[in-house]
Amino acid sequence: MRCIIETQSWIRPQNDPYRLENFQQAYDNIVSGESKIVRASDEFAASARSVRKEFSATAKTQLKLKATHYALKIFPKTEEEQRSLELDEQIKIAYTPFNYTSLPDEVTQSLVFSKSRTQFCEEDEERRYSVTYEGGMIKDGPVEPVTIILPVLYAVWPVEKPFPVEMDFEILYEVFLPKYITLGENGLSAEAIQILEQEAIALALDEERHLPGGFPRGKVLCYDTHLKRYVPLENLKIRFTLGSNIEEVYTDKTGYYAINNKLIDNQATVSFVFQHEKWTIVKGSEEGGRIEEIKGIYGELRSGKDLNFNINSSSAPDPRYEIHRAVNFYHYGEHDFIISTFVNNRISIVALAVDPGGWQGRFNYWPTSVGRMPFIQVGNCNRNNHPRLIGTTLHELGHYCQFHLRGGTFSAYDGTWNILLESYASYAGWHMGEAYYLNQGWKKTSLNSDITGQARQEWDYQNTTNNYYTPLFVDLVDDYNQGVGYPSRCYDQIKMPQFVVNLFGAYRTWNDFESALRKYTGSYFTENQINEFLFYERSWLQRNGYIKNGFMRKFLFFALSAIFTAGTPAGCNTDYNAISYFVWVNDSDHKITLFVESDLGCEFKNEVILPGESFTAMDNGMGVCPVPSSYIWKMTIIFDDGRLGFTYGVRYYQDDGRSYPPNYDAHYDPSIDDNYVFEDLRGNGRQPKERWTYVFTNADYDAAEAMVPFE
């Protein structure tokens, strides 16, 4: 059993200026003339003296301030409790006690992790509850039990909001937040409230001279290793924290943020919070890790009026910034991948600090009985190849979309064929990854450009390993035919609308998917085109034992030369099976229907070849390419409406040799190898590969007509 407890941040003591008693003391100081800010600038001192006169009025001398909030310490018992608190818009959640301030992440990385009087690790905070998940099953198999130590949460809780009596919590103290009181309340003017707040901060921080910091604004940009320039970080939450006073703002499409209605103190801590209503990105190994990155103190970070951040994450210890770019684009980017309709829940994404080895990303889902929500893990891989890293994240989000398309439950999602799972997720990673970079100004230089590594168009259907990552869904929408010149790659003549293909992620089995796809025959493709298209994945499924029957492909005669021009790519593995293609071309004036039986289990029937069309079957052997006579056990040919036809092959093998019916002409027998045109397709590759072509002409019709009537 693993026990997970994620390090938060290093913190040091700092009084909370917004304790109610501190504000009351600040009020009393101003009234008594003992203010810490009276020795500030002349303008500020004049304002302070004016406010003192206001405070010292007879009716206000004994003014008692009332709390606006409570500072609560909450111990979530479950991850669901933690999520409900984090998503509650009425409260503010912190992961650091309000009477401490967090050290910047850059500083903590150089610290020796040991306790002292001035700093300690939040892991040492009291944690009362843990949750253990056991009995889990994911695609990769059984999951060992995991115990997660739940964090301590610190909440700024409005006084009018009922306490969470069902939760384990403590009231730490009363809080006074001036921004939540109505101007003129308690007889205080706007200027008085401002001066009172500055006096309270100076009092808590032991500063005699204290001036406000201003209105924060600036941009957050992140360097992209492919574009070789900085790009905006959209919808990133920027947090300013001073004690129990928390201000948050999100960046816009340009990475710009501004807090125009709140005065932020120079002593406030600035942090990035990788949390949104639709996602949470944690740093660690499991859910429940750290979501906040501490950047430093506002007054020390800003330059003039602006506080800008240019993040170069190429050497960062985790891929949070790339994950953020990907998940934001998934939800809000300009692409045609339909997800909003299906996905309304927040997804947790874990940014690993290491390369896990063997995989780059993982979608984790659990049986409903376990009580654990799905989450994604993304390894710290491709650190200097951001398109691959973003593509990996979008791939896993494709699984998340599938999960919801399948009903959002373990029972509905589990058991989905891997070829459909991984091919659909690859399609998601490819499409949205390219769309992201196109939106950033990237220009696609060729149809087969694949900057994300998710297109999978070098996939070889002859590969007999469990290579589920196929271009199946990519090929349904793209404009590139990778099969031209490469017989072992998918020959793609299909072009379908994106909104149709998106919905194919809902299918669980190959038969369900194929049935749904074939319904669009005549709308987006011909029967010949879809047969040709599906040949490759079906052949792979057959080779790997997922389906029993073979699948033949049909295509127009004029396409033959394009398909087989270049042979195989150089450097093919010598361990591949030898392969033969058997092609029957109808160059007659008659419709032909073929039936073939094979003792190898590869058979087809009722395959119609119209004049000018052709039909192809495939067979393979170990080291030696099969010949037509080894593939054809019995072939039946029917011309036109069935009046005329003939059966060739094993029917006429007798103990004393082959016997033939009257008027039989061996020149028109498709079971004889010599009647085929032979082509060696090996090319520059080393894999044995052949094509055998038989051309039906009107002479074949005449030969059948001359024989005995068809039985």
Side-chain angles (χ1 to χ4, degrees):
M1 178 177 296
R2 292 178 294 153
C3 184
I4 306 298
I5 180 169
E6 305 292 357
T7 300
Q8 296 293 300
S9 62
W10 285 76
I11 56 182
R12 57 179 173 80
Q14 179 178 280
N15 292 330
D16 181 0
Y18 294 89
R19 296 175 71 113
L20 176 63
E21 60 259 38
N22 186 63
F23 260 84
Q24 188 67 56
Q25 185 62 57
Y27 171 83
D28 295 340
N29 284 359
I30 294 175
V31 171
S32 65
E34 298 178 0
S35 170
K36 285 183 169 289
I37 61 175
V38 294
R39 292 192 292 273
S41 67
D42 293 340
E43 181 181 356
F44 198 70
S47 297
R49 287 191 292 270
S50 174
V51 169
R52 180 188 177 189
K53 292 179 180 179
E54 182 181 340
F55 284 180
S56 300
T58 303
K60 304 172 186 175
T61 303
Q62 301 300 319
L63 179 65
K64 297 296 182 182
L65 302 177
K66 297 180 180 179
T68 62
H69 293 74
Y70 297 104
L72 266 57
K73 186 177 184 179
I74 306 177
F75 304 88
K77 301 186 208 56
T78 65
E79 289 188 287
E80 288 72 22
E81 277 194 2
Q82 180 182 341
R83 291 191 190 95
S84 68
L85 292 166
E86 292 172 338
L87 292 173
D88 193 330
E89 296 182 354
Q90 292 182 287
I91 63 177
K92 296 290 187 183
I93 292 294
Y95 303 88
T96 301
F98 298 126
N99 56 339
Y100 287 84
T101 185
S102 297
L103 277 67
D105 283 20
E106 292 183 359
V107 175
T108 62
Q109 292 174 16
S110 62
L111 290 176
V112 177
F113 290 83
S114 61
K115 297 180 185 179
S116 75
R117 293 183 179 180
T118 59
Q119 61 193 33
F120 67 92
C121 179
E122 281 188 82
E123 276 189 4
D124 297 323
E125 276 292 285
E126 178 186 5
R127 299 188 181 210
R128 296 181 180 176
Y129 299 100
S130 65
V131 57
T132 298
Y133 299 104
E134 53 187 353
M137 289 289 293
I138 61 175
K139 275 296 178 187
D140 296 331
V143 179
E144 63 175 308
V146 174
T147 296
I148 295 178
I149 310 298
L150 296 169
V152 181
L153 302 182
Y154 300 89
V156 185
W157 199 276
V159 293
E160 68 275 9
K161 183 179 176 67
F163 286 126
V165 293
E166 73 282 0
M167 298 184 185
D168 187 355
F169 70 96
E170 299 174 5
I171 301 175
L172 300 177
Y173 50 83
E174 294 178 308
V175 174
F176 184 85
L177 296 177
K179 63 187 177 183
Y180 288 99
I181 67 173
T182 304
L183 295 180
E185 187 177 346
N186 297 322
L188 301 180
S189 66
E191 184 182 36
I193 293 173
Q194 178 180 330
I195 295 299
L196 179 60
E197 183 172 9
Q198 296 307 312
E199 175 68 21
I201 295 172
L203 183 63
L205 303 182
D206 196 26
E207 297 180 350
E208 291 189 352
R209 185 179 186 274
H210 191 85
L211 295 175
F215 300 94
R217 67 186 187 187
K219 279 191 174 184
V220 185
L221 306 176
C222 183
Y223 187 79
D224 185 271
T225 58
H226 182 73
L227 299 173
K228 300 187 184 309
R229 60 177 172 84
Y230 286 90
V231 297
L233 280 175
E234 181 186 355
N235 275 322
L236 179 67
K237 185 188 291 186
I238 314 297
R239 173 179 287 175
F240 296 84
T241 305
L242 184 62
S244 51
N245 186 21
I246 301 174
E247 292 288 347
E248 296 174 337
V249 64
Y250 286 93
T251 57
D252 65 11
K253 288 184 177 294
T254 67
Y256 179 78
Y257 72 92
I259 300 180
N260 296 319
N261 60 338
K262 303 290 188 295
L263 205 62
I264 302 298
D265 191 83
N266 270 322
Q267 298 303 307
T269 298
V270 184
S271 59
F272 295 164
V273 184
F274 294 90
Q275 186 181 61
H276 189 274
E277 65 177 354
K278 294 185 180 294
W279 67 82
T280 296
I281 305 170
V282 302
K283 178 182 179 181
S285 59
E286 294 276 350
E287 289 187 288
R290 185 179 174 188
I291 66 170
E292 193 172 17
E293 180 177 347
I294 310 301
K295 306 306 294 184
I297 304 301
Y298 174 50
E300 299 174 0
L301 291 172
R302 71 186 181 119
S303 177
K305 295 181 179 180
D306 294 343
L307 175 55
N308 298 314
F309 296 93
N310 290 331
I311 308 297
N312 193 333
S313 63
S314 298
S315 60
D318 61 79
R320 281 180 294 180
Y321 291 97
E322 289 69 46
I323 293 173
H324 177 88
R325 286 197 278 161
V327 69
N328 176 76
F329 191 77
Y330 173 82
H331 282 286
Y332 299 108
E334 296 179 11
H335 58 77
D336 296 323
F337 193 82
I338 304 174
I339 53 95
S340 300
T341 305
F342 314 113
V343 182
N344 297 314
N345 298 328
R346 176 191 289 179
I347 181 68
S348 292
I349 306 177
V350 180
L352 300 179
V354 299
D355 182 345
W359 55 273
Q360 299 179 16
R362 177 176 288 169
F363 177 68
N364 301 272
Y365 68 101
W366 300 64
T368 307
S369 59
V370 176
R372 195 177 194 189
M373 297 294 292
F375 68 95
I376 291 168
Q377 292 170 296
V378 178
N380 198 22
C381 317
N382 298 307
R383 172 46 60 209
N384 293 302
N385 191 334
H386 288 172
R388 295 295 178 101
L389 189 47
I390 289 172
T392 294
T393 304
L394 292 169
H395 176 107
E396 302 307 326
L397 288 167
H399 285 311
Y400 181 55
C401 181
Q402 283 178 303
F403 184 81
H404 283 271
L405 284 168
R406 292 286 309 143
T409 64
F410 172 86
S411 59
Y413 182 76
D414 194 59
T416 304
W417 286 36
N418 282 330
I419 193 172
L420 298 178
L421 287 176
E422 300 302 344
S423 299
Y424 186 84
S426 296
Y427 154 70
W430 164 79
H431 170 66
M432 289 188 287
E434 285 202 351
Y436 172 80
Y437 279 95
L438 289 170
N439 274 265
Q440 295 296 335
W442 170 68
K443 304 295 184 182
K444 191 167 182 172
T445 57
S446 63
L447 292 177
N448 61 335
S449 294
D450 183 20
I451 59 173
T452 65
Q454 296 291 325
R456 318 294 186 186
Q457 291 179 317
E458 294 184 357
W459 180 79
D460 188 335
Y461 80 97
Q462 299 175 48
N463 190 335
T464 58
T465 63
N466 287 331
N467 184 14
Y468 311 119
Y469 301 80
T470 83
L472 176 63
F473 296 96
V474 174
D475 284 341
L476 289 174
V477 299
D478 74 345
D479 297 309
Y480 175 60
N481 187 354
Q482 69 271 25
V484 176
Y486 296 94
S488 62
R489 297 182 185 177
C490 301
Y491 194 79
D492 170 20
Q493 303 177 86
I494 306 295
K495 180 70 174 181
M496 299 183 68
Q498 197 91 35
F499 72 89
V500 176
V501 178
N502 290 335
L503 301 178
F504 287 156
Y507 297 105
R508 188 175 187 178
T509 69
W510 178 266
N511 287 339
D512 291 342
F513 161 73
E514 184 176 329
S515 297
L517 179 61
R518 287 184 175 276
K519 291 179 181 179
Y520 294 95
T521 303
S523 298
Y524 303 116
F525 43 75
T526 66
E527 185 177 356
N528 286 340
Q529 289 174 328
I530 194 61
N531 287 340
E532 164 72 13
F533 178 81
L534 292 175
F535 166 79
Y536 302 91
E537 278 79 8
R538 289 202 55 141
S539 296
W540 183 88
L541 289 168
Q542 180 191 2
R543 285 171 173 268
N544 289 275
Y546 294 100
I547 58 177
K548 294 182 179 179
N549 294 325
F551 186 77
M552 311 305 159
R553 58 181 177 154
K554 186 188 299 182
F555 51 92
L556 295 178
F557 179 53
F558 65 77
L560 283 172
S561 60
I563 298 174
F564 297 107
T565 52
T568 58
C572 288
N573 194 316
T574 58
D575 292 333
Y576 284 176
N577 290 339
I579 187 169
S580 289
Y581 301 97
F582 305 119
V583 185
W584 296 281
V585 178
N586 186 357
D587 197 27
S588 75
D589 298 326
H590 305 273
K591 182 181 76 172
I592 296 174
T593 304
L594 290 184
F595 299 75
V596 167
E597 295 181 26
S598 171
D599 59 357
L600 301 175
C602 304
E603 60 185 30
F604 60 88
K605 57 185 179 180
N606 290 318
E607 290 295 340
V608 176
I609 314 176
L610 298 176
E613 292 186 354
S614 66
F615 181 76
T616 299
M618 183 274 293
D619 192 19
N620 61 84
M622 294 301 297
V624 179
C625 295
V627 297
S629 58
S630 67
Y631 176 78
I632 300 172
W633 182 69
K634 181 169 68 176
M635 173 180 279
T636 299
I637 306 165
I638 300 175
F639 292 96
D640 297 324
D641 58 0
R643 182 186 67 83
L644 186 64
F646 197 74
T647 300
Y648 297 89
V650 72
R651 172 180 175 182
Y652 298 106
Y653 279 109
Q654 307 295 332
D655 293 338
D656 57 351
R658 187 188 289 259
S659 61
Y660 305 101
N663 301 318
Y664 165 81
D665 191 336
H667 294 93
Y668 304 101
D669 185 345
S671 67
I672 298 176
D673 298 340
D674 290 343
N675 291 335
Y676 287 75
V677 176
F678 169 77
E679 296 171 86
D680 189 346
L681 303 179
R682 186 187 307 256
N684 294 326
R686 292 174 292 175
Q687 180 187 8
K689 192 176 295 185
E690 299 174 354
R691 181 168 75 235
W692 299 77
T693 302
Y694 185 95
V695 180
F696 290 99
T697 67
N698 288 331
D700 290 82
Y701 179 86
D702 295 339
E705 192 174 36
M707 290 188 290
V708 296
F710 176 71
E711 298 178 4

